[in-house]
Amino acid sequence: MSPSAVPSSTSHGHFKSDLNLSLQGLGVEYPPFLVGPEALETLANRFYPPTAALKKVLSINRFTGIETRAAIGDVDHPVVNQPTPPSIKVLNDLFRVEGVRLSVNACRKAIQEWGGSVDDITHIVSTTCTNSANPGFDHFVVKELGIRSSIEKILLHGIGCSGGMAAMRTAAHLALGSSYQRKPARVLLLACEISSVLVRSELDSINEEQQTRVGVCLFSDCASAAILSNGVGEDATAEPIFDLLGWKHQIIDDTEEDLGFDVDPLGWKVVLTQRVPTLAAAAVSPCFQDLVKSVPAVDDNDQSPIAADFDWALHPGGSLIITGVEQAMNLTPEHLRASYEIYMKYGNSSSATIFSVLNKLRESEGKENVVACAFGPGIALEMMLLRRHKTGPSSANGFESDGTSESSDAAGVAVQENITNGNGVPHMNGNPITTNGAAAADDDNNTDGPAAEASSSVANVSEQNGTPAAGGEAGSGPSLPIEDVD
């Protein structure tokens, strides 16, 4: 490959027709506990008085569309059952054990599917928003995997839910640099989040500040990994999972206060404003159009493809994020089936979720081309076009088949019906809810009822006395407590 033929972006912002970049292995590792919405209520009632703000959060918690979330322990885990919330030191020590363990297992799955040796890995790009220790957690993962200590490492921080895609974009640029030097690149990508143990910190804020903080209803624990190859020196029989065709990173102006993840003595604090779903949905279409035009492999000058021509691997930041993009791009739940299924069963695992969605998406046949998309603090929008190669069961790489996987529109309908009764009427257990109903007992002047508020809150709402609060980050924050239900 001559330097002039090295795949790269041109000065006009167009990608070469063959970047020769591909994902060769995927691995997802969820912890062994799946918790239902009742777990948050159990822990809240154990330690906090039934204030108006807490009642509202617990009502919203019943209508997120999430059936279970992945967590590292059950509702009696000692870290979340002390008289006070765990300190950042305790959280760091826990991450050093549980986060590294999940990460090593996810990496081993990705490496096994790739089929190469750890000695062939040239770089590692990692990300997390639930740990900020130095050296980073990637240092300890490298040691556990037996990777040489001289490997080139990059640890990304401050990017929340968009972290997995930002890591993939960074790895792509590293791999293209190696291609220019005619060197092989086998980049290990890693994202890990331990959010569940931040529950007490969030509940403390709800109690002390009387804030309606819905991050505590959404987030979960996970590690995921992938191997990205530039093809140089590759065995001709190597079979990629996805080819990378092009990508785009964009910041939505003047949104720094809408999405973030603030450092706190008790961990990190999620604050999410009501503008996030609208801002996110509005940004997707122009970004998609620009990206498609920059990728000759999918852009036909006579007739550019539309969003519905692709499968979508959308980071499931909340139900209104998913449905907002679905509506803005004229998609159906079938296009977003993997995002819905991961959201329902595992919740939002921040940066680690996008690889989980891609892993789920490749289980079944679908459209040849895929749009991957995620939002992070900034607000940052990450988008990538991929081309599908392999399809087939991914249970060995992160999912156990239980025979209940929903296809077509079923997953999306299930999420939406968990919020409304199918006619737009808030409900619980099939019964309409009014502000006089049991589920609406939040002692304030909420004329819409908690289920209706949940519908507008799931996509990352944070309020203080009814006014959107500044700061915080969607897609990187805490989850609820922990209960073994599966």
Side-chain angles (χ1 to χ4, degrees):
M1 180 185 294
S2 66
S4 62
V6 171
S8 63
S9 294
T10 70
S11 59
H12 302 291
H14 284 68
F15 290 89
K16 298 294 186 182
S17 58
D18 183 12
L19 296 176
N20 208 30
L21 300 176
S22 62
L23 293 181
Q24 299 277 334
L26 282 170
V28 178
E29 182 76 1
Y30 283 105
F33 295 90
L34 289 177
V35 304
E38 68 283 354
L40 178 61
E41 191 159 351
T42 296
L43 198 58
N45 291 336
R46 187 176 289 174
F47 291 100
Y48 301 94
T51 63
L54 182 58
K55 288 181 180 180
K56 184 182 290 186
V57 170
L58 295 180
S59 294
I60 291 170
N61 180 57
R62 302 181 189 111
F63 295 93
T64 60
I66 298 171
E67 296 176 355
T68 53
R69 286 185 282 168
I72 62 169
D74 65 18
V75 74
D76 296 317
H77 192 290
V79 168
V80 297
N81 278 277
Q82 301 301 313
T84 59
S87 67
I88 199 166
K89 181 184 185 306
V90 171
L91 295 171
N92 176 67
D93 292 344
L94 185 66
F95 193 101
R96 183 66 55 84
V97 175
E98 298 292 344
V100 170
R101 179 183 62 80
L102 291 176
S103 297
V104 168
N105 289 341
C107 289
R108 284 175 174 158
K109 290 177 179 178
I111 292 168
Q112 181 179 10
E113 181 175 24
W114 162 49
S117 164
V118 294
D119 295 332
D120 297 326
I121 297 174
T122 57
H123 310 75
I124 178 170
V125 181
S126 307
T127 186
T128 185
C129 62
T130 50
N131 185 258
S132 57
N134 298 282
F137 80 105
D138 58 333
H139 172 84
F140 301 97
V141 172
V142 165
K143 290 181 68 175
E144 287 288 328
L145 290 173
I147 298 174
R148 66 188 184 282
S149 59
S150 60
I151 190 172
E152 295 186 41
K153 300 195 300 291
I154 296 175
L155 177 57
L156 305 178
H157 189 67
I159 47 180
C161 278
S162 61
M165 289 199 60
M168 191 155 40
R169 171 172 53 85
T170 301
H173 284 293
L174 289 171
L176 289 176
S178 294
S179 296
Y180 184 82
Q181 301 175 71
R182 302 182 180 87
K183 294 180 178 180
R186 306 295 183 265
V187 188
L188 175 61
L189 308 177
L190 170 62
C192 179
E193 307 292 358
I194 304 294
S195 301
S196 61
V197 290
L198 302 178
V199 59
R200 289 291 306 279
S201 176
E202 285 290 319
L203 288 173
D204 254 28
S205 291
I206 293 167
N207 181 58
E208 294 172 6
E209 302 169 20
Q210 288 300 288
Q211 293 180 336
T212 306
R213 305 175 63 88
V214 302
V216 75
C217 306
L218 300 173
F219 294 97
S220 58
D221 304 341
C222 181
S224 58
I227 297 289
L228 185 146
S229 170
N230 69 347
V232 176
E234 195 168 80
D235 189 317
T237 62
E239 186 178 4
I241 304 169
F242 294 101
D243 288 334
L244 278 65
L245 305 180
W247 51 85
K248 186 174 178 64
H249 168 77
Q250 180 175 314
I251 297 293
I252 305 174
D253 291 337
D254 302 319
T255 59
E256 294 89 349
E257 300 302 314
D258 289 283
L259 212 52
F261 199 32
D262 296 338
V263 178
D264 184 87
L266 302 178
W268 291 264
K269 299 283 189 179
V270 179
V271 186
L272 316 163
T273 75
Q274 291 176 324
R275 301 201 313 156
V276 171
T278 301
L279 290 167
V284 170
S285 181
C287 185
F288 170 78
Q289 298 298 333
D290 288 347
L291 180 55
V292 166
K293 291 176 182 177
S294 73
V295 179
V298 299
D299 184 38
D300 184 336
N301 290 329
D302 295 329
Q303 185 176 1
S304 294
I306 61 173
D309 293 330
F310 299 79
D311 275 336
W312 282 67
L314 176 67
H315 170 75
S319 70
L320 285 190
I321 294 289
I322 308 175
T323 58
V325 171
E326 180 183 317
Q327 294 166 8
M329 303 305 292
N330 293 315
L331 303 173
T332 68
E334 171 66 17
H335 292 96
L336 293 155
R337 59 193 178 278
S339 299
Y340 276 120
E341 288 186 35
I342 295 301
Y343 179 73
M344 290 172 63
K345 184 169 184 179
Y346 298 106
N348 177 352
S349 303
S350 192
S351 67
T353 319
I354 192 64
F355 294 116
S356 179
V357 173
L358 287 170
N359 200 35
K360 173 62 69 173
L361 185 63
R362 57 89 169 251
E363 284 187 350
S364 58
E365 298 291 337
K367 297 182 183 299
E368 180 183 19
N369 296 320
V370 176
V371 179
C373 181
F375 301 93
I379 293 172
L381 168 58
E382 298 279 355
M383 188 175 288
M384 186 170 286
L385 295 186
L386 308 169
R387 177 158 291 164
R388 182 199 302 259
H389 277 269
K390 282 199 296 188
T391 60
S394 59
S395 59
N397 299 316
F399 303 115
E400 295 298 330
S401 176
D402 57 7
T404 62
S405 178
E406 297 181 85
S407 60
S408 189
D409 292 353
V413 170
V415 169
Q416 294 165 11
E417 288 190 347
N418 197 11
I419 299 170
T420 70
N421 65 1
N423 297 315
V425 180
H427 80 294
M428 178 181 291
N429 298 327
N431 299 314
I433 292 178
T434 69
T435 53
N436 295 323
D442 51 9
D443 295 338
D444 63 8
N445 295 321
N446 174 15
T447 59
D448 295 323
E453 179 162 357
S455 182
S456 64
S457 300
V458 166
N460 311 326
V461 176
S462 179
E463 298 175 343
Q464 184 173 5
N465 299 325
T467 303
E473 171 204 296
S476 53
S479 177
L480 82 171
I482 9 197
E483 176 184 359
D484 185 2
V485 296
D486 188 34

